[in-house]
């Protein structure tokens, strides 16, 4: 069991700073996710943990061992690459056995462990296939087996699901999670897909342009984003600028004095309000209370499990997105009809604007 | 940072740079210096002589070379481009068979091809003589020789360059581009000139420059056919034979200057105009020829073209069965038997050149194989300062005409130097394998580059991540993956080295005379059958290599050049 500590690591490529003074501690046995848009430095960070890059400054530690400039082959990490990087000239068995052969494990032991791990990823019948004869999902599982069989201290997964189609992605998500729990390996998972991050992780680090914006459990990240970038990147949200005035908060876009029951200790910096689409209340009859708006239904979008309604408020200047579960055709709103909207004060969150 | 990585890169680069500096750069520089020497003094006299009135022959040879090269480009284009269009755009019976035949000229080594052409169409050639007999003419109706001969041989051997580049460009043109032009209201003619043709220009320019360079460097065709006609590559040889090394050096510098200028222009142009797009799954786009008259016209045209294309191969095969003395003054060969092949395996004098060629080509290719892998790996997978410079140095032997490579080696190694370990290499066995090695470095490096570029970096990283050290990764992962590409490149280099003529004629000694030199000897002795048998050995080797490349390495014959 290994904990990973990154202290003040910085990585520069020429003039470009890919990662800037990053501090993260990943606990033993944790499923930890780096989440962020492309080019945010998450893969660079992962590669520094794997040893393919050495940080320009800062330290990488596995438990108490300083690994900052240890070469990749001596780190005992198991990495699954985005394109799987299976050896095309080898069979499934040879691919999985590669790491064991390098470690000079004896033949019988190699055979036993390879068969064992292939059993776990449910690929035992394919043991003698060439990897080119496998489907995407199967190749993915070979890559996973190859990384797991060496019993790595840390499992590193670099966007492993991005090349699979949607249904297979769901399946593999559960598969990876199951294996991670079974082996209890500290796992670092890189993705730009927030659904993957939210469903799989123990904790998530949200990245943007080389900085870590927030570290927290999925519920913390979703429900208590620390700034507008996190609020917008994770899930859908309605985000509007607000201003502090004498009698409280005022939102110009909605032309509304905003009430929020949440504590906000923000000083005089630029702030925004965030309301999740599923938290907004809609009603055909007049609503009482604070944060009530009148609008017109602009567009109703049916996605299957849920229904998105886009409501024009503030005389058509601003559109609010509202999501509701699909409860049958009778509950769908009529496009063009008038509607009352309420932003429940306990669901309105005030966040600072992230510094660029 | 990355100290271990940097150390590995430097360790890789040291042998590469040593070899390139010692055997490519140093000989080239030697020639350059020699061209400014006259009777031991530094002077511009040689260049004055070259361009001045004193030696009209040189300037004339330069113009002739350029003139022949331009016409060769034109002729090859006139044959290759329409063929490419017909085979990629129309479907008719036997299409794929004919398109396979269309690249047959590359199976003939240049010297052997020229020889076959002489026997077919030369003054005493079989076709003119046969026509004369058939039509009861006083004299032969036509014969090739001089400029027309050279041009004909060039057109025959070089049109595949146009055919192959244009075919592959046409196959890469997304049919939806033409369809959308038509959809927007453009007529067939408009579609061609406004869409298809501009998309083909990079391929056309590349092929033109390639043919131009190859014709400038062409040696075998003028050597056998020129008569009194002067071309620059041949002038170098004559200067060397006459012992005027300084003038030979000057001529080499000028010929190289022309070639390298074109090479640089080609690179510049290729970088500037790249229309390749990432459209996936481009479908075949052939129209079926439905009109029966047109269809059978095309098929019969194909058959005629096939006969013309394969005549040289056929005549070579037939004449290889003609024993000594059976076709000297006679109009037609008078007897056929296996004598030549029997001698080949029984008479050491006849067999020796074959053995020499095989041994020397093998030695050279082992060198190319090892050096090619290391160099290509460094160029593709490693980052270092001056990579472009190294790349140019590696490709230099490709841009230099073979005659110049030969001259460079003479001038560099006719005295002792550290790169030859204090030995005089000229006049020894080792000079020819060295020449072959240098000549075919670019070919092997390029074919290796192609497979290495295909291999994703993450494959190596995965092996490293699983605990494999660099050497283990290289041996067990990288090498097996790239081996097919490297081997097919090396095999191709091998067969070309077996048939190599221009450097051989400059550097051979009696003890290590290769096949090509012995072919010339046999020709001189009018023992045409034996020469043809030598030619057949080379053709057989090439055929085997192409078959192996195709069967085992999945390399298409079109891609081997």
């Amino acid at each position: 069991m290994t904990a990973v500590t990154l202290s003040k690591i910085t990585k520069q490529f020429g003039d470009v700073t890919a990662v800037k003074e990053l501090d993260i501690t990943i606990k033993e046995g944790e499923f930890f996710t780096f989440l962020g848009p492309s080019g945010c430095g998450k893969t660079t960070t992962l590669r520094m943990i794997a040893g393919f890059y050495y940080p320009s400054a800062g330290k990488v530690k596995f438990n108490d061992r300083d690994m900052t400039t240890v070469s990749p082959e001596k780190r005992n990490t198991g990495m699954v690459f985005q394109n799987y990087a299976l050896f095309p000239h080898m069979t499934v068995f040879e691919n999985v056995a590669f790491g064991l052969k390098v470690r000079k494990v004896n033949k019988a032991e190699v055979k036993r462990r390879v068969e064992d791990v292939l059993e776990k990823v449910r690929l035992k019948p394919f043991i003698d296939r060439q990897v080119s004869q496998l489907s995407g999902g199967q190749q993915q599982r070979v890559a996973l087996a190859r990384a797991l069989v060496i019993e790595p201290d840390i499992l590193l997964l670099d966007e492993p699901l991005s090349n699979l189609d949607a249904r297979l992605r769901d399946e593999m998500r559960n598969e990876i999670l199951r294996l991670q729990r079974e082996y209890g390996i500290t796992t670092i998972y890189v993705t730009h897909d927030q659904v993957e991050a939210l469903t799989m992780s123990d904790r998530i680090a949200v990245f943007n342009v080389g900085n870590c914006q927030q570290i927290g459990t999925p519920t913390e990240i979703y429900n208590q984003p620390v700034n507008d970038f996190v609020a917008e990147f994770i899930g859908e949200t309605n985000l509007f600028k607000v201003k502090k005035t004498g009698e409280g908060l005022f939102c110009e876009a909605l032309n509304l004095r905003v009430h929020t029951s949440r504590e906000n200790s923000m000083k005089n910096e630029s702030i925004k309000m965030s309301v999740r689409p599923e938290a907004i209340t809609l009603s055909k009859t007049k609503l009482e209370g604070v944060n009530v708006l009148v609008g017109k239904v602009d567009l109703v979008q049916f996605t299957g499990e849920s229904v998105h309604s886009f409501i024009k408020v503030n005389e058509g200047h601003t559109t609010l997105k509202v999501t509701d579960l699909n409860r049958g055709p009778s509950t769908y709103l009529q496009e063009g009809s008038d509607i009352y909207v309420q932003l429940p004060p306990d669901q309105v969150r005030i966040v600072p604007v992230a510094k660029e | 940072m990355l100290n271990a990585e940097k150390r590995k890169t430097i360790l890789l680069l040291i042998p590469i740079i040593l070899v390139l500096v010692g055997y490519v750069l140093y000989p080239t520089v030697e020639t350059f210096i020699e061209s400014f020497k006259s009777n031991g003094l530094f002077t511009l006299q040689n260049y004055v002589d070259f361009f001045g009135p004193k030696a009209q022959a040189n300037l004339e040879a330069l113009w002739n070379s350029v003139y022949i090269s331009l016409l060769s480009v034109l002729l090859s284009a006139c044959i290759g481009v329409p063929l490419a269009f017909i085979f990629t755009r129309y479907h008719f019976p036997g299409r794929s068979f004919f398109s396979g035949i269309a690249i047959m000229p590359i199976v003939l080594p240049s010297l052997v091809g020229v020889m076959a052409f002489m026997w077919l169409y030369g003054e005493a050639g079989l076709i003119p003589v046969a026509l004369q007999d058939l039509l009861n003419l006083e004299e032969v109706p036509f014969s090739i020789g001089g400029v027309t001969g050279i041009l004909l041989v060039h057109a025959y051997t070089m049109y595949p360059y146009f055919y192959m580049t244009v075919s592959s460009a046409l196959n890469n043109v997304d049919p939806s581009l033409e369809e959308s032009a038509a959809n927007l209201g453009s007529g067939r003619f408009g579609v061609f000139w406004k869409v298809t043709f501009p998309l083909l220009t990079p391929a056309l320019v590349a092929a033109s420059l390639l043919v131009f360079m190859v014709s400038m460097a062409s040696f075998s065709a003028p050597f056998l056919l020129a008569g009194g006609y002067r071309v620059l590559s041949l002038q170098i040889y004559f200067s060397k034979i006459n012992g005027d090394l300084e003038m030979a050096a000057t001529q080499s510098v000028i010929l190289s200057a022309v070639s390298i200028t074109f090479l640089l222009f080609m690179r510049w142009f290729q970088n500037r105009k790249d229309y390749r797009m990432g459209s996936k799954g481009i479908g075949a786009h052939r129209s079926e020829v439905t009109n029966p008259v047109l269809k059978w016209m095309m098929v019969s045209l194909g058959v005629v073209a096939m006969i013309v294309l394969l005549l040289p191969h056929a005549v070579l095969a037939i004449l290889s069965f003609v024993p000594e003395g059976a076709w000297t003054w006679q109009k037609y060969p008078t007897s056929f038997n296996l004598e030549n092949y029997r001698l080949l395996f029984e008479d050491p004098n006849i067999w020796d050149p074959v053995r020499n060629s095989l041994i020397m080509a093998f030695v050279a290719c082992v060198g190319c194989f090892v050096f090619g892998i290391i160099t290509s790996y460094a160029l593709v997978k490693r980052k270092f300062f001056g990579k472009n410079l190294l790349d140019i140095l590696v490709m230099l032997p490709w841009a230099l005409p073979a005659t110049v490579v030969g001259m460079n080696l003479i001038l560099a190694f006719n005295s002792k130097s550290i790169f030859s370990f204090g030995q005089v290499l000229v006049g020894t066995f080792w000079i020819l394998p060295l020449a072959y090695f240098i000549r075919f470095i670019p070919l092997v490096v390029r074919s290796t580059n192609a497979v290495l570029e295909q291999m994703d970096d993450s494959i190596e990283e995965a092996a490293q991540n699983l605990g494999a050290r660099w050497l283990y990764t290289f041996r067990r992962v990288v090498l097996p993956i790239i081996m097919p590409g490297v081997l097919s490149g090396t095999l191709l280099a091998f067969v070309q080295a077996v048939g190599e003529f221009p450097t051989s004629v400059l550097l051979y000694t009696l003890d290590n005379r290769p096949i090509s030199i012995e072919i010339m000897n046999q020709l001189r002795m009018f023992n045409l059958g034996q020469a043809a048998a030598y030619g057949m050995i080379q053709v057989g080797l090439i055929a085997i290599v192409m078959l192996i490349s195709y069967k085992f390495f999945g390399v298409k014959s079109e891609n081997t050049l």
Side-chain angles (χ1 to χ4, degrees), chain A residues 11 47 50 52 54 72-74 77-79 81 83 85-90 98-99 101-103 146-147 150, chain B residues 1-5 8 456 458-470 472-473 476-478 480-481:
Chain A
K11 179 66 188 170
R47 289 172 68 85
F52 298 126
Y54 298 152
E73 66 265 26
K74 290 177 192 141
T77 60
M79 182 149 168
F81 291 79
N83 61 358
L86 298 179
F87 306 127
H89 58 298
M90 297 183 186
F98 187 90
K101 279 188 186 152
V102 172
R103 284 168 176 72
R146 188 177 66 176
I150 60 169
Chain B
M1 155 204 123
L2 292 187
N3 277 328
E5 288 295 297
K8 263 175 237 154
D456 201 281
S458 62
I459 299 263
E460 264 183 277
E461 287 172 358
Q464 215 184 355
N465 175 259
L466 292 168
R469 291 163 166 282
W470 179 79
Y472 189 87
T473 307
R476 303 301 291 272
V477 176
V478 179
I481 294 177

Side-chain angles (χ1 to χ4, degrees), chain B residues 287-522:
Chain B
S287 3
E288 187 88 30
V289 179
T290 40
N291 182 338
V293 180
L294 204 64
K295 180 158 93 181
W296 292 111
M297 247 170 64
M298 278 178 113
V299 174
S300 44
L301 212 71
V303 172
V304 171
M306 182 182 81
I307 292 171
V308 172
L309 282 176
L310 290 182
L311 261 182
H313 304 72
V315 81
L316 195 71
I318 293 167
L319 289 184
S320 70
F321 296 111
V322 175
E324 190 168 5
W327 193 40
T328 45
W329 51 269
Q330 300 95 329
K331 268 188 174 174
Y332 307 104
T334 47
S335 74
F336 299 92
N337 56 37
L338 287 169
E339 183 71 6
N340 294 321
Y341 290 101
R342 192 184 63 77
L343 283 176
L344 206 50
F345 294 108
E346 284 178 8
D347 186 344
N349 267 330
I350 305 285
W351 170 246
D352 274 355
V354 179
R355 201 201 54 195
N356 289 341
S357 273
L358 291 177
I359 291 174
M360 290 191 295
F362 180 76
V363 170
C365 284
V366 170
C368 279
F369 179 77
V370 175
F371 183 78
I373 290 176
I374 300 175
T375 309
S376 174
Y377 182 81
L379 281 175
V380 177
K381 297 288 178 194
R382 294 274 149 170
K383 292 193 188 94
F384 53 89
F385 179 76
K387 193 189 243 186
N388 256 325
L389 211 67
L390 191 72
D391 193 31
I392 289 174
L393 212 52
V394 169
M395 286 304 150
L396 191 63
W398 182 72
L400 292 179
T403 333
V404 174
V405 173
M407 277 316 296
N408 288 349
L409 285 177
I410 291 177
L411 292 167
F413 297 118
N414 61 2
S415 57
K416 294 172 181 172
S417 86
I418 42 163
F419 297 115
S420 53
F421 308 103
Q423 306 286 316
V424 177
L425 282 184
V426 174
T428 68
F429 168 83
W430 289 104
I431 191 77
L432 265 187
L434 180 64
Y436 298 164
F437 167 70
I438 295 165
R439 280 271 284 150
F440 298 113
I441 287 173
L443 200 160
V444 178
V445 170
R446 269 200 304 185
S447 60
T448 311
N449 279 356
V451 276
L452 267 178
E453 276 159 10
Q454 295 270 315
M455 195 187 82
D456 201 281
D457 290 350
S458 62
I459 299 263
E460 264 183 277
E461 287 172 358
Q464 215 184 355
N465 175 259
L466 292 168
R469 291 163 166 282
W470 179 79
L471 200 65
Y472 189 87
T473 307
F474 189 76
R475 234 162 17 96
R476 303 301 291 272
V477 176
V478 179
L479 270 189
I481 294 177
I482 64 171
M483 201 43 87
V486 189
L487 275 183
S488 76
T490 312
L491 279 175
L492 195 71
F494 178 77
V495 289
Q496 291 197 12
V498 168
E500 170 77 6
F501 181 55
T503 49
S504 305
V505 79
L506 284 168
L507 297 166
Y508 79 97
T509 65
L510 199 61
D511 291 331
N512 73 347
R513 66 186 193 287
I515 294 184
S516 53
I517 299 304
E518 190 57 26
I519 288 181
M520 287 309 299
N521 284 342
Q522 298 291 346

Side-chain angles (χ1 to χ4, degrees), chain B residues 160-188:
Chain B
Y161 293 123
F162 270 97
Y163 172 71
M164 291 189 292
T165 44
V166 174
S167 295
S168 88
L170 270 177
N171 279 326
N172 286 330
V173 171
D174 189 338
S176 62
L177 292 177
E178 292 178 351
E179 283 160 7
S180 70
N183 175 262
L184 292 168
S186 185
R188 282 185 83 139

Side-chain angles (χ1 to χ4, degrees), chain B residues 242-255:
Chain B
N242 292 335
D244 190 353
L245 286 184
E246 286 146 5
M247 187 34 98
T250 311
Q251 289 160 336
S252 297
V253 169
I254 286 166
L255 186 58

Side-chain angles (χ1 to χ4, degrees), chain B residues 49-129:
Chain B
D49 284 351
F50 189 99
F51 290 105
K54 199 176 141 199
Q56 283 287 324
N58 284 326
L59 209 52
E60 190 192 319
L62 176 61
W63 288 131
N64 284 346
S65 282
V66 173
Y67 169 76
I68 283 190
S69 302
L70 285 176
L71 278 181
S72 300
V73 170
L74 204 68
L75 279 175
S76 319
C78 285
I79 304 171
V81 177
L83 270 186
F85 259 92
I86 291 170
F87 285 135
T88 43
R89 284 301 162 84
Y90 295 98
H91 195 85
F92 52 91
R95 189 197 65 86
S96 60
F97 176 72
F98 290 135
S99 71
I101 297 291
I103 56 155
M104 283 312 271
I106 60 171
V107 187
L108 277 186
S110 60
L111 181 67
V112 177
V114 179
M115 200 164 74
F117 259 76
M118 269 172 48
W119 291 331
L120 269 174
Y121 309 108
E123 239 171 302
L126 291 169
I127 301 235
V129 171

